[in-house]
Amino acid sequence: MYLDEYYTNKGSHVLACFVDFRRTFDSVNYWKLFSKLLYDGTNTLNVRLLAVWDSNHNQRWRSSVSAAFNLGNGTRRGGVLSPYLFTRYIRDMLSSIVNSDIWCSIGNKFINVLAYADDLVLIAPSWRTLQLLLNTLNVQSDMSDMQCNADQTACMVFPPSSRRCVVSDNFPPLTTADK
């Protein structure tokens, strides 16, 4: 059964919100990330290596290399570990959404969020429940020092299959913390 078949065949809308965060990889607070890794039981030596690796940077252009400089936040764009580290950084955010008791039943699975690295999609069976998921996301993103980019966040509505099942096609605007 496709994502929206169950709900749309029963006369319900399904809403999906494709969330964009502002300066995603640049927003990662190193010390929060390293604390989370240590809390997970990651070897201290590995965390120290990441701390040195992430805080000492050079800029390269053709054959020239700048002097080393320090950064206080961010993960390396295009780095092999960046998607893993970012996913670990937002795990608490994802857990709060997953545990919100708002979901769609799709193929005998309860789903309300799809995520990979900085790509996030919220799925809900109604406008009201999607707004509740966005509220949860807002609280958690504040705790993670991240901001939703409302200009780049988009929602998609899957209407019911039968037009006679539609109660209303008008939805109030959804809101994020960044208005």
Side-chain angles (χ1 to χ4, degrees), residues 3 13-20 112 120-124 126-135 137-138 148-159 169 171-176:
L3 170 70
H13 288 86
V14 173
L15 290 91
C17 184
F18 300 83
V19 179
D20 183 66
N112 62 4
L120 192 77
V121 182
L122 300 175
I123 303 168
S126 70
W127 174 90
R128 183 180 169 278
T129 55
L130 182 57
Q131 184 60 65
L132 290 171
L133 288 178
L134 284 168
N135 294 347
L137 178 77
N138 289 334
C148 273
N149 183 353
D151 295 333
Q152 297 296 318
T153 295
C155 292
M156 179 183 280
V157 178
F158 300 92
D169 275 337
F171 299 102
L174 293 161
T175 59
T176 63

Side-chain angles (χ1 to χ4, degrees), residues 4-105:
D4 61 342
E5 269 184 16
Y6 175 82
Y7 292 96
T8 60
N9 287 341
K10 301 285 185 191
S12 174
H13 288 86
V14 173
L15 290 91
C17 184
F18 300 83
V19 179
D20 183 66
F21 291 104
R22 206 173 250 129
R23 298 180 43 201
T24 307
F25 287 101
D26 298 337
S27 300
V28 172
N29 180 311
Y30 285 148
W31 307 116
K32 285 183 181 181
L33 173 62
F34 299 148
S35 294
K36 290 175 185 213
L37 290 171
L38 290 170
Y39 179 80
D40 290 347
T42 303
N43 182 300
T44 307
L45 215 48
N46 291 338
V47 175
R48 290 172 80 190
L49 177 65
L50 284 172
V52 169
W53 181 59
D54 270 342
S55 61
N56 293 312
H57 296 269
N58 312 58
Q59 185 63 44
R60 297 176 190 271
W61 189 71
R62 295 187 183 186
S63 62
S64 300
V65 178
S66 74
F69 56 92
N70 292 324
L71 294 176
N73 286 336
T75 57
R76 293 176 187 248
R77 289 174 193 241
V80 191
L81 288 176
S82 294
Y84 167 76
L85 293 172
F86 183 75
T87 302
R88 174 54 195 104
Y89 186 70
I90 64 167
R91 184 189 304 161
D92 298 334
M93 177 190 303
L94 296 174
S95 292
S96 291
I97 293 168
V98 167
N99 295 324
S100 68
D101 291 334
I102 298 169
W103 29 257
C104 288
S105 176

